[in-house]
Amino acid sequence: MDKLQAMQRMERLSEELRQHNYNYYVLSKPVIGDYEFDTLLAELISLEKKYPEFADPCSPTQHVGGGITKEFRQVVHRYPMLSLGNTYSEAEIRDFEERIHKLIGDEVEYVCELKFDGVAIGLTYRQGLLVQAVTRGDGIQGDDVTTNIKTIRSIPIKLRGEGYPEEFEIRGEIILPHSSFARMNEQRMEDGEEPFANPRNAASGSIKMQDSAEVAKRRLDGYFYHLLGNDLRFATHYESLVAAKSWGFKVSDFTVRCRSLDEIYDYLKTWDQGRYDLPFDIDGIVIKVNDLRQQEMLGFTAKSPRWAISYKFKAEQAATRLLSVVFQVGRTGAITPVANLQPVQLAGTVVKRASLHNADIIALLDVRIGDMVFVEKGGEIIPKITGVDLGQRPAGAKSLSFISTCPECGTALVRAAGEAAWYCPNETECPPQIKGKLEHFISRKAMNIDSLGEGKIEMLFDNGLVHHCADLYDLTYERMIGLEKSYGAADDKREKRVSFREKTVTNILNGIAESKKIGFERVLYAMGIRFVGETVAKKLAAHFISVDKLTAARYDELIEVEEIGEKIAQSILRWFSEPKNIELINRLKIAGIRFEMAESLVPLLGSQLNGMTFVVSGVFENFSRDELKKTIELHGGKNTGSISAKTSYLLAGTNMGPEKRKKAEKLGVPIISELDFVLMVREE
Ligand code: IVH
């Protein structure tokens, strides 16, 4: 392929991918399969690497992410981001309608919309291209989160259709659909992190992440509902939404025009129930005056527009009896109080259990066994207890006290400063923690021993055959054959009978043997160090190359690694300071587990940088610092931390300290950009 052909192919791929994204994420009507899509995308990514000079800054590859934002720039909103007046009853909506009627006099048409429960965002487009995405912040100024927002596949980086103004802003809400939320929390719990309480918090945390490639994995979505700009020639709000839709924005299909209060009430009733069938959270509806001239006449109060109002749904509540409270111990040792309830119907499901969150909430509610309690389903998946009907408290009901020792192993619980949860600190001997660690160790993204599962791990543990993950490598055919046990009550459909016959045992042993080939980054993830999830493990492995170097790393060396902050660094230091953990590593090493990056897996890609020494500093557009350092090594070059006369190049990103630049200039070390570097290592 010559250069011209490459350029044409890149343009074509961009167009096709843009259309497929639109079909899939906006219209929900894909016309090709995931595999085909991924193949086209991979082709474009590789062409962009080879011909960076032709890469379109608005290419659909931007949705994949990769850019790092160390600190979000503050941006002042061109139009302040106001909030809406809230109402909670039909009477208040009637008051709103009467007020408008008095001020306008004429017939007024309204638009009713869903009130998305997410994070407000303002996107600026210039000449059809997304140039800036800013969060609400305090309404006056917010954070520039453009790189992260570009990873959301339903958001157009380049507009479709025609007729859009030279420049405009569109506002909407970034949301996390229920399916993405559930998947993300599962992963967080597997990584020993606190799950997010609800999709809104998760969305808000996600758009403020430093690594946009991580944001891309979160599967955020966005709905848009407000256009702003000097050059908008629409007569009505509804018309502007239809236009926005034609430009490629996701605009809700459930936006309707209403001509009377009754129609508004109908809409409200429909969605008060209908919201439970939506794949994302809404917390109310928004009612807006449709005519833009009338909107202008009505204007704003200091805080909100007079032409719109929101109606907030009441959280659906049920009252039921609290039967008992149990305390569960999780894999990380976190204690969760769970209430067993008299089964009750709530928002379409029967609720038998509810979360009591933590000790503070129990004390605050002063909830007692036998109480009539109120249960609510908010954004949270697990219902929560929000109050007590004191009028129905049985005589003599005693206050609930939080346990002080672990219900599984009896160890005194601890609570770290600033954390809500109590923990059982007995990481190595507390049964659910041991079993949880073993389950994590064998899980797909860790050592991937799929011939073992929860039931088999439990059996091996109960029979005293495995306690630490290193014990797995001492298992033999003779020790396992013939073990048998059933789990769950006999009348429970989930009852499982596990028996170790020849085939099972051979499969287990094969799976364990296979796991010795697993790469260092996954082994590190498998250790279950708190806050060291899949991504952090990858970054640590790439940076330190071997567990010995990681064990010896000091605090300042750890926080030098991208994504590693104080909390993660402290957790790593704590883990490696435990003699038991060092012993575990040694046993696993003897068993043949990989504790360093295999040289054979990182062959030299070229020798262009032979004999050259680089200092990489700052933040880069397309690569992380670690990726650049790795690329230098893979092409025969060396990395150092500080500039000297021997340094061949200073590879400089943005936000590089001025001292480095000065020193390089003084010593005559050439300063090169990311693009210069790409050109240096590019295959000819
Ligand atoms: S219109 C000037 N429409 O609710 C008013 N807002 O409480 C512009 N929201 O800050 C807002 N869905 O983040 C509007 N369909 C919708 C909405 C919506 C959710 C959020 C938005 C706003 C907040 C106001």
Side-chain angles (χ1 to χ4, degrees):
M1 194 184 296
D2 66 22
K3 280 199 166 190
L4 182 67
Q5 283 170 324
M7 190 174 81
Q8 286 166 342
R9 177 78 187 140
M10 285 164 82
E11 265 173 28
R12 214 195 132 95
L13 282 168
S14 289
E15 279 313 313
E16 273 183 36
L17 285 162
R18 209 168 272 133
Q19 181 64 39
H20 290 312
N21 269 331
Y22 180 71
N23 293 341
Y24 189 100
Y25 293 103
V26 181
L27 303 180
S28 302
K29 285 197 187 94
V31 296
I32 59 168
D34 289 355
Y35 179 75
E36 263 174 286
F37 181 90
D38 290 344
T39 312
L40 294 174
L41 185 64
E43 186 185 350
L44 183 58
I45 292 175
S46 107
L47 282 170
E48 286 181 355
K49 276 214 171 115
K50 201 159 174 196
Y51 302 101
E53 66 274 33
F54 301 145
D56 176 359
C58 295
S59 153
T61 56
Q62 299 269 312
H63 287 308
V64 180
I68 304 281
T69 319
K70 271 277 174 199
E71 234 170 85
F72 296 99
R73 200 166 58 92
Q74 288 277 301
V75 176
V76 175
H77 293 293
R78 178 173 292 183
Y79 310 93
M81 254 190 173
L82 301 174
S83 57
L84 293 170
N86 286 327
T87 60
Y88 298 91
S89 65
E90 292 190 0
E92 284 175 283
I93 295 180
R94 196 182 53 232
D95 292 347
F96 167 74
E97 198 266 349
E98 276 174 8
R99 242 180 358 253
I100 304 257
H101 193 72
K102 257 194 212 145
L103 289 165
I104 299 283
D106 294 342
E107 275 283 291
V108 179
E109 186 176 56
Y110 294 92
V111 173
C112 288
E113 298 173 5
L114 303 180
K115 186 170 186 318
F116 302 97
D117 195 8
V119 187
I121 197 85
L123 309 180
T124 303
Y125 284 80
R126 210 171 288 139
Q127 292 173 336
L129 305 180
L130 172 60
V131 291
Q132 194 170 60
V134 184
T135 61
R136 180 171 194 277
D138 59 5
I140 304 296
Q141 57 177 18
D143 291 319
D144 180 339
V145 289
T146 316
T147 312
N148 287 346
I149 292 301
K150 280 187 177 170
T151 67
I152 302 176
R153 295 178 186 228
S154 64
I155 293 185
I157 299 177
K158 187 174 188 173
L159 297 183
R160 305 167 57 80
E162 50 208 29
Y164 41 77
E166 163 75 14
E167 180 167 339
F168 68 93
E169 184 175 338
I170 189 162
R171 290 195 177 154
E173 207 83 357
I174 303 299
I175 55 152
L176 189 68
H178 294 148
S179 54
S180 313
F181 174 67
R183 212 184 52 171
M184 177 175 151
N185 263 355
E186 246 169 51
Q187 184 60 48
R188 283 177 77 81
M189 287 193 280
E190 223 175 76
D191 294 348
E193 294 182 48
E194 285 268 321
F196 280 113
N198 54 49
R200 181 182 3 92
N201 288 359
S204 149
S206 301
I207 63 171
K208 296 291 287 293
M209 291 175 87
Q210 292 186 350
D211 184 350
S212 61
E214 282 305 300
V215 184
K217 289 188 201 152
R218 300 239 167 141
R219 302 277 177 227
L220 295 161
D221 203 350
Y223 278 92
F224 291 85
Y225 46 67
H226 194 192
L227 274 170
L228 292 150
N230 294 328
D231 208 12
L232 302 170
R233 298 186 191 129
F234 302 108
T236 65
H237 171 61
Y238 194 82
E239 234 178 80
S240 75
L241 293 182
V242 172
K245 194 166 184 166
S246 77
W247 301 334
F249 293 104
K250 207 160 174 172
V251 175
S252 170
D253 288 333
F254 304 123
T255 299
V256 301
R257 282 168 290 187
C258 295
R259 294 202 158 268
S260 67
L261 261 184
D262 281 341
E263 281 178 25
I264 296 176
Y265 294 157
D266 277 349
Y267 186 84
L268 192 159
K269 281 195 201 98
T270 305
W271 289 107
D272 194 14
Q273 277 311 307
R275 62 180 154 145
Y276 299 112
D277 300 325
L278 286 170
F280 49 80
D281 282 349
I282 60 172
D283 58 346
I285 62 163
V286 180
I287 306 150
K288 299 174 180 171
V289 169
N290 191 22
D291 188 300
L292 294 178
R293 257 209 322 242
Q294 291 180 341
Q295 280 194 7
E296 215 174 299
M297 279 158 66
L298 291 161
F300 297 84
T301 69
K303 277 195 274 170
S304 50
R306 285 199 193 86
W307 43 262
I309 202 156
S310 77
Y311 169 89
K312 291 259 216 163
F313 297 133
K314 284 178 216 65
E316 192 153 335
Q317 231 185 26
T320 188
R321 195 70 70 186
L322 172 64
L323 303 177
S324 63
V325 174
V326 290
F327 293 89
Q328 290 179 344
V329 187
R331 173 172 84 80
T332 58
I335 310 288
T336 315
V338 177
N340 288 316
L341 305 167
Q342 186 108 52
V344 65
Q345 192 79 27
L346 175 65
T349 53
V350 176
V351 173
K352 293 185 204 145
R353 283 146 73 83
S355 168
L356 269 165
H357 294 284
N358 56 46
D360 294 343
I361 304 245
I362 292 183
L364 192 74
L365 294 172
D366 182 25
V367 57
R368 304 183 187 187
I369 304 294
D371 268 345
M372 245 354 229
V373 292
F374 299 112
V375 202
E376 266 182 30
K377 247 190 194 171
E380 297 82 354
I381 301 295
I382 306 165
K384 60 182 181 196
I385 292 182
T386 54
V388 177
D389 184 351
L390 291 176
Q392 297 204 47
R393 172 162 287 171
K398 284 208 192 75
S399 283
L400 257 185
S401 50
F402 205 86
I403 46 170
S404 56
T405 54
C406 174
E408 298 277 349
C409 71
T411 307
L413 301 181
V414 295
R415 185 181 193 173
E419 284 204 31
W422 285 88
Y423 281 87
C424 166
N426 186 13
E427 275 182 44
T428 47
E429 302 301 326
C430 178
Q433 294 192 63
I434 300 173
K435 280 186 266 182
K437 279 198 176 60
L438 287 165
E439 278 159 22
H440 172 72
F441 184 80
I442 62 163
S443 66
R444 197 169 49 83
K445 288 180 174 168
M447 304 305 278
N448 193 24
I449 310 179
D450 59 2
S451 48
L452 279 172
E454 210 176 301
K456 293 187 185 118
I457 285 288
E458 189 151 336
M459 171 129 85
L460 292 171
F461 175 79
D462 290 350
N463 281 286
L465 291 185
V466 290
H467 200 86
H468 301 294
C469 42
D471 299 334
L472 291 171
Y473 298 90
D474 294 338
L475 288 172
T476 58
Y477 186 89
E478 290 70 32
R479 292 169 80 184
M480 282 192 283
I481 193 80
L483 293 178
E484 189 158 318
K485 193 171 173 179
S486 49
Y487 296 89
D491 60 349
D492 186 337
K493 282 207 196 75
R494 286 165 304 173
E495 187 204 350
K496 245 194 238 163
R497 225 182 153 68
V498 187
S499 81
F500 281 4
R501 308 240 162 85
E502 189 182 335
K503 192 151 174 262
T504 314
V505 175
T506 320
N507 278 344
I508 294 176
L509 289 171
N510 285 345
I512 292 174
E514 248 338 83
S515 74
K516 296 182 185 176
K517 296 184 193 151
I518 295 286
F520 175 42
E521 70 279 10
R522 282 169 60 186
V523 172
L524 192 54
Y525 169 65
M527 296 295 100
I529 304 169
R530 214 166 162 220
F531 308 126
V532 179
E534 228 190 319
T535 315
V536 170
K538 263 193 206 147
K539 305 237 153 159
L540 287 170
H543 188 93
F544 291 101
I545 311 291
S546 75
V547 81
D548 296 339
K549 292 212 180 96
L550 176 60
T551 311
R554 295 184 317 259
Y555 177 78
D556 53 327
E557 291 167 318
L558 286 168
I559 56 166
E560 225 179 66
V561 185
E562 210 169 83
E563 295 264 318
I564 313 270
E566 186 188 333
K567 188 176 77 172
I568 303 179
Q570 295 292 12
S571 167
I572 296 169
L573 287 175
R574 214 175 308 124
W575 198 87
F576 281 101
S577 69
E578 278 282 339
K580 276 189 224 154
N581 292 331
I582 302 296
E583 190 191 313
L584 174 71
I585 292 177
N586 287 335
R587 278 186 65 198
L588 287 170
K589 271 187 187 168
I590 293 167
I593 302 300
R594 290 209 168 128
F595 274 101
E596 53 182 54
M597 295 294 256
E599 280 301 327
S600 60
L601 291 179
V602 282
L604 273 188
L605 291 178
S607 51
Q608 292 95 317
L609 309 182
N610 262 355
M612 299 182 191
T613 308
F614 287 77
V615 172
V616 183
S617 181
V619 180
F620 297 86
E621 189 76 18
N622 297 302
F623 305 95
S624 70
R625 256 201 311 280
D626 283 331
E627 280 169 338
L628 288 170
K629 286 185 182 168
K630 191 99 218 136
T631 310
I632 290 171
E633 282 168 17
L634 291 179
H635 290 83
K638 279 207 186 91
N639 292 294
T640 58
S642 58
I643 300 168
S644 73
K646 287 195 203 126
T647 309
S648 318
Y649 293 100
L650 167 60
L651 174 47
T654 50
N655 290 349
M656 184 183 70
E659 290 309 313
K660 281 224 167 79
R661 180 173 294 276
K662 258 193 228 151
K663 192 156 181 201
E665 280 166 358
K666 198 169 130 209
L667 294 171
V669 173
I671 304 175
I672 58 167
S673 72
E674 188 177 359
L675 180 63
D676 298 328
F677 177 72
V678 170
L679 294 175
M680 273 169 97
V681 293
R682 211 178 66 189
E683 297 158 68
E684 287 311 321

